[in-house]
Structure formats: C-alpha cells, structure tokens
Amino acid sequence: MSSAADPLAPLAGLPGVSDSVDSVRKAVDRVYGHRVMRRRSGEIASEAALRGARGSAALSGADWALEEVRRRTDFGSEAQARAVGAALRLTAEAGQLLSIWRQSPMRVLARLHLVASGSTPAAADAFAPSAIEGDAVGRPRLAGEPVDEPLIDLPLPSAEEVAGRLDGLSRLIIAGGSSPALITASVVHGELLALRPFGTYNGLVARAAERIVLINSGLDPKAICPAEVGHAEQGAEAYVAAFEGYVSGTAEGMAAWIAHCGRAIELGSRESMAVCEALQRGAA
C-alpha cells in the first residue's frame, strides 16, 4: 500500500515523530546486535516477557517487585494477583496470535480478553455477544455495561461508537500500510485504551496488542524490547498525560503520545541490553 493510501501516513510528519521513529530503531538494533543475542536470544526473550508483564500489571494497579512476579505461583487470590496473572498470560499468548492478527484482529482481541479473564477458549473464534451466553467476557461491552479500568478515568465512548471504531481499527490493520511500526503500535494501543471495549482488563489488552504490532511488524520479531517496561518506568502520571494527548486528537497531542510510546520501547530495549550484559558477565 502506498503512503498516500495509508491513513496513518500524516502522523509521520508530526513534529518529533520522525526523530522518535529513528531513535526507536537504533535502540532496538543495539539489542539485536549484542553478541549474547547470537546464542541466548531465547533467555533474553523470556526475561523480556516477564519484565513486560510486570510493567503492564504495574500500570493496572499491581506494582509488584520483579522477584515477586518471578516466584509467585498463585495469581487468583485477590485483585492485584489476578492482574499480574492476567498480564503474564497475555504476554505468553501474544506470540501465539501473530498469524491471526493481520487477518482477523477482532478474533485476537476477543482471545486476549478471554485469556486475561482466565476464561475458557470456547469463544475465541467469535466476537459477538452470543459468544459466551450470559457473560461479557470476550466481546465488546453493550450499552449500560460498566467498565473497570483503574488507571483511566476519561468519559467512556458509547457502545455504538465502540463498535464503529473497532470496525475501523480492524480495517486499518487488515489493510496494512507503510507507516512505521511505532506509529501503528501507538495508534492501536491508544485507540483500544480510549474505547475500553471490554468490561475489564482494557489496559492490559491494549498493551498486549501494542506488543503484537511491534513483533508482527518486524521491528521486534523476537519480542526482546518490551514497551510495557518503558511505559511503567515513565510512570502512571506520564502515561495518562500522554494518553490524554491521544484522546484530544490534536497534532500536538498525537505527537506527544507517539513520542511517549517510542520512549517506552527505548526503555524496554535498555532493559534488555542490561539483561544481555548480565548474561555476558555470567551474573544472570
């Protein structure tokens, strides 16, 4: 698809976005060029997944120490534990959905919410209210259904608006485009967070979808540069402020959100560089 036909193409021209795209690419390339990656990429990917899940859970109100996430086995006892468990499951599941994402992103979103909720996969191939009779898991919310999203307190779009915008997002993903992975990932993340299409775990699902875009695009094919780490490191206040820029729809706000997401990837890359260095020293 030509850039002229790509609806995200104008975002590349916003102030600072080109610099963010270049900076992200350089940060990711540094990790992939590390000598440890040649023989221990699987270990680095596993550690990145763990740290990414911890970061995503932190933004959903479960800010646990990394070692607590690493050692814990019970994730069903209380709200924070459930959030951490959901983040871990989503991080593990994201890599299994890459081939489906470009053909049917709605199926993937349904699956992600099912996985986050700890539900059975029976409805993973559907994205409709009838998928799970009498339950809201795995389908967009209906009019009047509440949303529990601890970090985001902005007005909710109506169920009708959610359906229309999800359809538009799906078409965008299926069509593909020439925009850099950072821009596409930022828009997918921001749109899902803005819509909050599910009753629960919207932030976790949005960040998992961002991860899928970054892997599927080829920017981070081995999933070793966890943006979730960087989102958490920048802090919840900065995350919400940047997201409000996305919701504003202004050029300045969109540029700020893309820059924030770019910085998150850079910080995630830096985290994995530290893991590489530790492995090289024999300290991890």
Side-chain angles (χ1 to χ4, degrees):
M1 178 181 290
S2 69
S3 60
D6 184 351
L8 300 185
L11 298 179
L14 295 178
V17 169
S18 178
D19 290 341
S20 291
V21 169
D22 290 343
S23 186
V24 164
R25 168 50 70 186
K26 289 175 183 176
V28 172
D29 285 348
R30 279 194 293 271
V31 184
Y32 276 84
H34 197 285
R35 60 188 300 178
V36 170
M37 278 294 295
R38 290 196 294 270
R39 63 186 187 278
R40 304 182 73 174
S41 62
E43 294 172 68
I44 297 163
S46 294
E47 192 65 23
L50 183 71
R51 294 172 187 232
R54 193 218 72 82
S56 192
L59 288 173
S60 286
D63 192 1
W64 289 12
L66 179 63
E67 291 311 312
E68 175 69 6
V69 178
R70 195 189 304 278
R71 72 165 189 83
R72 189 74 172 260
T73 58
D74 173 21
F75 296 104
S77 56
E78 44 85 25
Q80 286 197 13
R82 290 195 296 273
V84 173
L88 287 167
R89 290 191 299 272
L90 284 172
T91 302
E93 187 73 11
Q96 309 302 314
L97 301 172
L98 302 178
S99 63
I100 305 173
W101 176 252
R102 288 294 293 271
Q103 284 74 43
S104 184
M106 295 301 97
R107 275 183 62 196
V108 171
L109 293 176
R111 174 68 182 180
L112 290 175
H113 191 242
L114 284 159
V115 168
S117 303
S119 301
T120 62
D125 289 337
F127 200 66
S130 59
I132 306 177
E133 188 173 353
D135 201 338
V137 176
R139 63 151 174 82
R141 56 185 167 83
L142 303 178
E145 290 183 337
V147 171
D148 177 19
E149 185 55 46
L151 188 60
I152 306 302
D153 194 29
L154 297 177
L156 281 170
S158 68
E160 183 179 8
E161 182 180 350
V162 168
R165 287 171 63 176
L166 280 176
D167 182 66
L169 184 64
S170 178
R171 292 174 184 272
L172 180 73
I173 294 164
I174 291 169
S178 59
S179 294
L182 169 61
I183 293 177
T184 304
S186 300
V187 169
V188 168
H189 181 171
E191 189 70 357
L192 291 174
L193 200 58
L195 295 179
R196 282 151 287 166
F198 302 110
T200 55
Y201 298 122
N202 288 289
L204 293 175
V205 168
R207 291 183 288 275
E210 177 186 51
R211 167 179 283 264
I212 289 172
V213 173
L214 295 173
I215 299 170
N216 229 10
S217 67
L219 175 66
D220 183 20
K222 294 182 183 294
I224 59 170
C225 301
E228 304 96 325
V229 167
H231 286 305
E233 188 170 332
Q234 292 178 90
E237 184 176 340
Y239 182 76
V240 172
F243 169 65
E244 289 175 348
Y246 176 86
V247 173
S248 76
T250 65
E252 181 181 15
M254 291 296 294
W257 172 246
I258 294 169
H260 182 89
C261 292
R263 182 59 178 159
I265 300 169
E266 291 179 51
L267 291 170
S269 301
R270 186 179 70 179
E271 184 95 349
S272 288
M273 278 293 288
V275 172
C276 288
E277 292 295 323
L279 288 170
Q280 184 167 279
R281 295 191 306 269

